[in-house]
Every structure is written in C-alpha cells, then in structure tokens.
Amino acid sequence: MDFNYQDERFADLQLLRYRLNGFERLSVPQKVLVYYLSQATLFGRDITFDQFGKYNLRIRKMLEAVYTDMTVSHDTDEFKALEVYLKRVWFSSGIHHHYGCEKFKPGFSADYLRNVLHQVNPSKLPLKSGETIDQMCDELFPVIFDESLMPKRVNQADGEDLLLTSACNFYDGVTQAEAEAFYGRQKQMESEPQTPPSYGLNSTLVKENGEIKEFTWSSEGKYANAIRHIIYWLEKARDVAENEQQKKVISLLITYYQTGDLHRFNEYCIEWLKEHDSAIDFINGFIEVYGDPLGLKGSWEGLVEYIDEEATHRTQTISQNAQWFEDHSPVDPRFRKPVVKGVSANVICAAMLGGDEYPATAIGINLPNADWIRAQYGSKSITISNITDAYNKASRGNGFKEEFVIDAETIGIIEKYGDICDDLHTDLHECLGHGSGQLLPGVDPDALKAYSSTIEEARADLFGLYYIADSKLVELGLLPDEKAYQSQYYTYMMNGLMTQLIRITPGNQLEEAHMRNRALIAHWCYENGDVIKLIKRNGKTYVEITDYAKLRVLIARLLAEIQRIKSEGDYEAAREMVERYAVKVDADLHAEVLERYQRLNLAPYKGFINPQLLPVYDENNEICDIQVNYGESYAHQMLRYSTEYGTLI
C-alpha cells in the first residue's frame, strides 16, 4: 500500500505526512528512548505559543472551546471561517503568520464570536478568576480584530523600535535601546569573556515600576509547569540512554532546565558535541533566535531523530574533508579557521517534531549557535531525509517548473540533478557553512544586532553555492558530473529574485531572515555582474543565466565580503547590504508572480502531521514495542496535543 504524503489543505498551507523509514529496525530500547524523548518534545508546545504572543494561549483555548462545542452550529460560513482561523493559529503557534509574521485577518465577525462564546459552557473557556465572558472578549477581541494592534510578531523595519513594534512575548515594556544596554552591561561584567554564555537566551525581559528585570525560564521560574513535564520525560529517557555519554548529556540538560543557568547550557552543548556513538539524538530547548527581533532569545523547539545510515555517507564525506573546504575558501585568510574542529554531520530521520519545529520544520540544522563553542569544539549538522523525501514526493508533477523555469533544457537539468543538488547544498550549508570562518579577536558575536541572522544565513548559503560548483565534489563522488551544480544555481537565483515572492502579501517587504538572505544573494549577483538577466516572453518574466562559471566568481566575491562583515562585526556594512539588496519588493514583478502561481492552485507553505507513537505493553506492564500510527488527522492531533500537553493554561 502506497504511503499518502499529502493531507489537508487550507488558507496558504498544505499538511503533509512523513514516514519513519527504518524505525522498525531499531531495537526495543531504542524505540522506547525515541518515545520518551518524543514526549519531552511535545510537552514544550505551550511554551512556543506563549513566546510568540502573550495572548496566544488564551485565544487558542477560547477558539478550541467554540470549535468542539456541539451546541454551536458547524454549518455556517462564519463557523467555517473560524475553523480555518483556528487551524492557522495551530500551525503558527499563534495569531501571526509562521513565516511572514503578519497578523491573520479573521473571516468571521466579532459579533459572531461573542455570540457563540455565550453558547459555550463557561468552564471550557480560559476565563480568569472572577472574569465574565464579556470581559474576556473585551480583552482578547482587539488583539484578534484590530489590524493596527500587534500587526507583526517580529518587526525588522529599519529605523523603528524593533521591540515596541513586535508582538513576540520576549519583552514587556522594554525599549530596544534599554534591552541592548541591559545585555551590553552583562557582557562587560562577564568574568570569562572568551567563553561567554548566550545572554538573554532563556528569559523574558520586563520593565516593572521603571526597573528592568529578567525572568528566567526554568523549572523554578517562568514556564515551570511545562519544563517540569519535559524534565520528567528526559529523566525516563536517561534511564534507557544508549551509552554513558548520552546519559551525561541528558543529565546536563536537566540541570540546565532546573537552574536556568546559561553556563550549564554551554556545558550541555559541549558534551552534546562529544556524543557520536548513538543512533538516537535530539534537540530540546531554547535554541533559534529568529523569533526575537534582536536575535537574542531562543524559541523553544524539539526534534527527535535517528540516523539514516545509508544517506549519512554523503555528509560524512563532507565533514571528513572540512579542513580542505576551509583552506580553499575564497575569503581573506585572516577569517578562516586554521584548524577545523569537531565537525560532524549526519543524515537523519525525524521521529517527532515539536515547538518551533512543528508543524513547519527546517530540512537541515547546525548547532550549537555560540561562535566560541563552534571554534573550540565544533558543531553537529543534520539533514532530515524523511522530511525532504516528503517534500519531493508531494511536489512532483505540480507544474511549478513548467511555469517559472525559462526553457525545456533548464527544466531537464533541474529534473536530472535537482534533488541531489538540493540535498547537497543543504549539507554544505549546515555541515560546513555555519561552522566555517572565525571572528577576529575581540569582536562581539552580537555586533550585527538585528541583521545578524540574515548575514549568517547568507554566509552559510554562499559557502554551499560556492562549493557545489567545485570539481572537488565530483572527485569525492558527491555529484555525478561538473554540470550538475547548474541546477542549484538556477533554482536558487530564480527563487531569490522571483518565486519566493509567492510567500509575501502584496505591499509588504521582506522580513524573514532566510527570505532576506536569498534575496540578498540573488539581487547582489544580478546587480553586480552581467550573467543574470530578467527577460520577458509572452508577458512573463523569466530568469536567464548566461554564464554559470562567471556567476560562481560573483558568489565568491560576495562570500568574501559577507565573511568580512561577520568576522569584523561591521554593523554599518551589514545594514547597508541587507537594506539595499534584501528588503524591497518590486510591486509589478510581485503581482505577476502571484498571478502565475495562483493559476497553479498550489499552497506556498507546507507543514507536517506528526506520526503517533503508541507504546505496547507486555504482561508485566513493561513496554515491549512502539507502534507507529500515521492515520491521525490534523485537527484531532492539535486538539489532542492541547489536551494531553497543555501545561500553561
């Protein structure tokens, strides 16, 4: 029986399923470890909702109460609009778009919602002590219906106070200048400035009575109830760990969660990097900083994984040659690492996604993020094969290439080499790109401020683009021939110049770091050389690349400059680069791309329904197997998660 990768579709989203390929070959103890780690992953869900907006949890629970109430008619247009809105809230962990960060516009009225809420049993609603339904509505309705209130979850507009204009819940009443000064003072007071913690990573910064206070996320602080549940399942996972080092890693993570001490988080990251002997690995914690306009605070995320042994050969070949790639990089030798340490790379299968990795997830990850830990201890990179496989299978035959690629010859190149080049570019980006280069002595890792994430993603992408065209990859057996890279160059430039605009609302600029990064690279190469052209045929715009070898020269020049900006902490150059090439949208081209894409009837964003892991017990009430169920619907999964893993409301 064929596996059905595609599932429900609504708004601009399509839900997919991913298979746990090879899961049945794991031992029972390994399956149990995956199950326990998966429980720890799912218990962080409410944290992410709260981080993305202070009203998200109450709004979610309020809408779920209406959605599941049988006294409310489910056949009206407004109820169906509420259903779509709720599904979008589930997908984005809040009321702002998961990628564009703009607030959703409800397709139902405030009067309708107030009316149906009065039909719901009040015990099902997130009412505060002594609060009436109307009082709850008065507080929450402006957040939902007033377009001018909290319009952006993350605002990156140059010249504005990025904290006061962002709806994310990492700061309360604190200005951008106050937050930057607060963490600047902490850095100045650091007793070991060569090995600093990631200041602000796991806390909310609040101004109370004129005083700025930091509330740490820990089992004794903010998010305590969720974190205690995570710790409970981590302790069970530690009992069935595959080896002593893995036990040590889990113990350090537990200690960090208990104390909130970021020095303990550094210890955890270092020991996690030393653990290479397990088939099972995981990410669990406050990790990526894209959700904070200042790039300091980590959104909670979880991922449970096991090695795809066959595909890992590719990434191991790359990591084993990491020093060669670093030595031959086209950047100033001062910015190269003399000795590349601890680069490990695996292709893995995701077993469970959680927090900021669910339902939408990255296809590759490189951690830890601290530059000094990367320099001294290395990094771990993963490419997620079963997620990539699901994307590829769901997109075949959808007409996208035929609509946007310039000619049949280029389509043929993409069809022949596209999948392998996409995987390889992700590997190069994660395995080597993020881990390449070094800061000059004394450079603050946060010197680029709000532009840091875009510059870092551009740096890693450029590293991958430069080397995917190198004959070394053919020599290593990673590409079949020296023409293959043209597939990646074409699709990357087409995406950066044109097709990623399908994800932007008309009138908006680019704000998300990865989109800005791709636009920066594509527009810089377009404007600084004569090898990329935008041509019109029958009223349609196409990207034409006239000389792929010269394009690689441009990519080398840009990589050298981006690495210089990063290594020297050149904030003004970063600002100029991003604002000039990565932000603005051509309105006419945007309108054309949207119209052409709309005719294809495709969803621009995709996410995943998790498999359900079900323990099987023997006569002694011990787990003897883990069954995998792929049949759960999106709505059922989301409602079940709200019931089983709801810890903060």
Side-chain angles (χ1 to χ4, degrees), residues 303 353 356-357 360-365 384 387-388 391 430 514 608:
L303 171 71
L353 309 172
D356 201 16
E357 289 293 332
T361 182
I363 58 174
I365 299 172
I384 311 177
I387 295 295
T388 302
Y391 279 131
E430 300 294 350
H514 297 81
F608 292 90

Side-chain angles (χ1 to χ4, degrees), residues 629-647:
N629 171 33
Y630 298 106
E632 192 170 28
S633 72
Y634 175 65
H636 186 276
Q637 181 160 106
M638 290 297 186
L639 290 170
R640 181 172 65 85
Y641 284 3
S642 293
T643 299
E644 295 183 7
Y645 304 104
T647 56

